[in-house]
């Protein structure tokens, strides 16, 4: 498509995000044979695992953007970070494990057998600064004019910061009850929508907390009716 003049956006979530980033690198390898600018290919990754070595990850910032949500464990789940969890079993304090992972100066970081992988490209960290308020009922128009009542919560407050794969807070495996929950796509949708909403962007519908896609789609359809 790109050689025919189309712009191509590759995207995915979780394993799909890692695949999207690798596919983008492969496409750009072929770009030298196209009569179009490499900027015609871009990639947006949501919750990608660490899948590139440091030089490759850092040189991908012009065409790959990765989103990491709060305590999401998957972007932190490199083989080296998993290996560092053994330090906890040896009685090390969590703060020491965090420091070792951030500095990348331990034996694991210097190992040639276990690759030192990181999140690719430009990394946007999404931080939750305030939880969502209590639930409320919302009336939506369903099929054939019926009225459905959906219980939803307005989104919490979120902030965003731009970094890269060397950011210390994503170079150790987070041990948190939210590590799995914040990996899910609805939380990413909430965080990004909440940030855009606070910046004054006119969204189809106000963001809601951890809302699944069918419910969001129903709200969006009702707002256009």
């Amino acid at each position: 498509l790109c050689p025919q003049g189309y712009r191509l956006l590759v995207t995915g979530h979780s394993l799909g995000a890692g695949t999207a980033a690798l596919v983008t690198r492969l496409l750009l390898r072929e770009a030298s044979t196209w009569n179009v600018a490499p900027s015609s290919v871009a990639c947006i990754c949501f919750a990608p695992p660490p899948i590139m070595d440091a030089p490759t990850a850092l040189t991908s910032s012009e065409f790959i953007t990765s989103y990491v949500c709060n305590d999401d464990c998957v972007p932190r789940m490199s083989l080296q970070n998993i290996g560092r969890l053994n330090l906890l079993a040896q009685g090390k304090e969590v703060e020491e494990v965090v420091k070792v992972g951030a500095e990348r100066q331990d034996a694991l970081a210097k190992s040639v057998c276990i690759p030192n992988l990181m999140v690719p490209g430009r990394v946007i960290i999404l931080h939750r600064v305030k939880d969502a308020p209590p639930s409320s009922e919302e009336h939506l128009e369903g099929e054939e004019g019926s009225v459905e009542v959906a219980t939803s919560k307005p989104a919490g407050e979120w902030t965003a910061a731009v970094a890269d794969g060397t950011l210390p807070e994503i170079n150790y495996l987070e041990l948190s009850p939210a590590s799995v929950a914040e990996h899910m796509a609805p939380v990413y949708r909430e965080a990004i929508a909440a940030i855009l909403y606070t910046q004054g962007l006119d969204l189809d519908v106000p963001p809601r907390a951890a809302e699944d896609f069918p419910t969001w789609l129903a709200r969006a359809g009702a707002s256009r009716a």
Side-chain angles (χ1 to χ4, degrees), residues 1-155:
L1 294 175
C2 286
Q4 299 175 31
Y6 290 92
R7 296 189 65 187
L8 182 61
L9 177 64
V10 189
T11 189
H13 171 262
S14 193
L15 179 61
T19 303
L22 295 174
V23 166
T24 300
R25 292 290 309 197
L26 292 174
L27 286 171
L28 288 169
R29 183 186 298 177
E30 302 295 323
S32 60
T33 64
W34 305 341
N35 294 321
V36 295
S39 59
S40 59
V41 181
C43 178
I44 298 179
C45 300
F46 300 98
I51 44 94
M52 292 184 182
D53 60 35
T56 306
L58 297 175
T59 57
S60 301
S61 60
E62 292 185 8
F63 45 86
I64 297 178
T65 299
S66 295
Y67 287 85
V68 176
C69 184
N70 225 41
D71 293 333
D72 186 350
C73 62
V74 171
R76 299 170 167 88
M77 203 171 285
S78 68
L79 288 175
Q80 291 198 0
N81 286 342
I82 292 174
R84 291 185 182 104
L85 288 179
N86 186 51
L87 296 174
L88 295 175
Q90 296 173 14
K92 303 293 185 182
E93 297 293 333
V94 173
E95 291 77 8
E96 186 174 351
V97 177
V98 171
K99 182 179 179 182
V100 168
E103 293 180 350
R104 291 177 174 266
Q105 296 297 321
D106 59 331
L108 279 169
K110 299 173 183 177
S111 170
V112 295
C113 299
I114 303 178
N116 184 14
L117 302 181
M118 62 176 57
V119 172
R122 181 177 64 154
V123 178
I124 298 179
I125 307 293
L126 307 170
H127 285 133
R128 187 196 302 270
V129 296
K130 186 177 181 181
D131 289 336
S135 302
S136 60
E137 287 190 345
E138 185 171 1
H139 296 268
L140 302 175
E141 286 292 333
E143 295 181 358
E144 299 178 357
S146 62
V147 177
E148 300 174 355
V149 179
T151 301
S152 63
K153 295 197 300 183

